[in-house]
Amino acid sequence: MPTLLVQGTADTLFTLDEAITNLRILRADKVPAKLVWFCGGHGVCLTGAGPAGHVEADVIAWMKRYLARDAAVSTGPGFEWIADDAQWRSAPSFPTRHGAPLVGEGSGTLAINPTDTGSGTPVSAAPAANAINVPITLRPSQVAGRPVLTMTYSATGSGLGHAFAQIVDNTRNLAVGNQVTPIPITLDGATHTVTRKLDAIAASVGASSEYTLQIVGGSAVYGPVRTTAALNVTRVRVALPTVATATATAKAGHALLPASRRAARAAGSA
């Protein structure tokens, strides 16, 4: 069954990763599918939802094409997303063709304890005061996908054995996409290396943007801190995936017109 996947960039209950996984399964089975990321869901959109009606137009176009079986209706590009500048963009498919990643590297120590309130609220991560802070080297670009974190560390303590990672927008003092990701740590004092994909984000990086990777002891998104530990990170690296080419998406309602009518309208306005 042709499937339109609509997922919220600010959703911390059902994150973008679930739609990415579903899309991969559908395409492996040769099922027509499209992915749309909007700012909303089970969370708080802090960066703007963009023009009204965009997602609704995509849904109606998809239903006309595959339920009404109107082959004249175009469902548009295979991937559309709204970044944290409230602008819609598109690419032929997801994953997109990648540009060079945005990378941050650093080290530090962190005391993790149950009295630490961690970051944010139950539905939204936020910058934390108690954190290992690693600056990310930026350039103007579009980020869409799952950052990859590799951390070499040693830790001693007790409890469940987790730290958390989040990307912080310093300029606006918020966690990008409200997202925070648990990172398992082994509390035996030995040196370990862990690699994890963080929860996916959609961000528009400008010339004045400043991002930091934070390693924190806990987040209210995941409940109370259940680890007591001394964490020594000798090296941590994060790489944010960038989009090689992204197209600004037309205003809401674009997908409702059949391809022939859109072409005629474009010709008339040229």
Side-chain angles (χ1 to χ4, degrees):
M1 174 68 70
T3 304
L4 175 64
L5 298 164
V6 181
Q7 199 83 17
T9 59
D11 195 324
T12 55
L13 180 60
F14 302 111
T15 66
L16 297 176
D17 304 340
E18 299 194 18
I20 293 170
T21 298
N22 288 330
L23 181 69
R24 182 171 62 247
I25 294 169
L26 290 165
R27 287 189 172 158
D29 290 335
K30 311 297 184 184
V31 176
K34 172 173 176 161
L35 181 62
V36 177
W37 292 354
F38 72 103
C39 189
H42 300 85
V44 181
C45 179
L46 301 175
T47 55
H54 188 105
V55 174
E56 291 82 355
D58 279 346
V59 170
I60 292 171
W62 193 265
M63 295 176 69
K64 284 188 173 183
R65 173 64 183 85
Y66 290 108
L67 291 182
R69 300 186 184 279
D70 185 350
V73 174
S74 170
T75 58
F79 176 40
E80 295 184 24
W81 75 97
I82 192 164
D84 57 3
D85 60 353
Q87 299 296 314
W88 283 94
R89 293 178 174 84
S90 66
S93 63
F94 184 92
T96 65
R97 187 164 64 87
H98 292 316
L102 307 177
V103 176
E105 293 184 301
S107 60
T109 60
L110 179 68
I112 304 173
N113 65 81
T115 63
D116 190 344
T117 57
S119 76
T121 72
V123 297
S124 178
N130 182 31
I132 296 173
N133 294 293
V134 177
I136 300 172
T137 300
L138 302 180
R139 66 181 184 280
S141 52
Q142 297 301 314
V143 173
R146 302 187 69 179
V148 178
L149 177 140
T150 299
M151 185 172 76
T152 299
Y153 72 93
S154 61
T156 57
S158 61
L160 293 183
H162 279 92
F164 294 79
Q166 57 189 21
I167 308 300
V168 169
D169 180 339
N170 301 329
T171 305
R172 292 185 287 188
N173 194 39
L174 52 80
V176 177
N178 304 340
Q179 301 297 331
V180 60
T181 306
I183 307 296
I185 55 175
T186 303
L187 306 175
D188 62 1
T191 298
H192 300 274
T193 297
V194 59
T195 297
R196 284 290 185 276
K197 287 186 176 181
L198 307 185
D199 284 311
I201 56 175
S204 183
V205 180
S208 61
S209 298
E210 294 183 5
Y211 284 8
T212 296
L213 165 70
Q214 282 198 325
I215 305 297
V216 300
S219 172
V221 172
Y222 286 88
V225 177
R226 295 181 174 88
T227 298
T228 300
L231 174 65
N232 178 34
V233 175
T234 54
R235 181 177 183 266
V236 62
R237 180 183 190 272
V238 68
L240 279 57
T242 65
V243 178
T245 56
T247 302
T249 301
K251 66 181 180 180
H254 71 95
L256 295 178
L257 290 175
S260 58
R261 288 178 59 195
R262 290 204 320 276
R265 185 177 69 176
S269 62

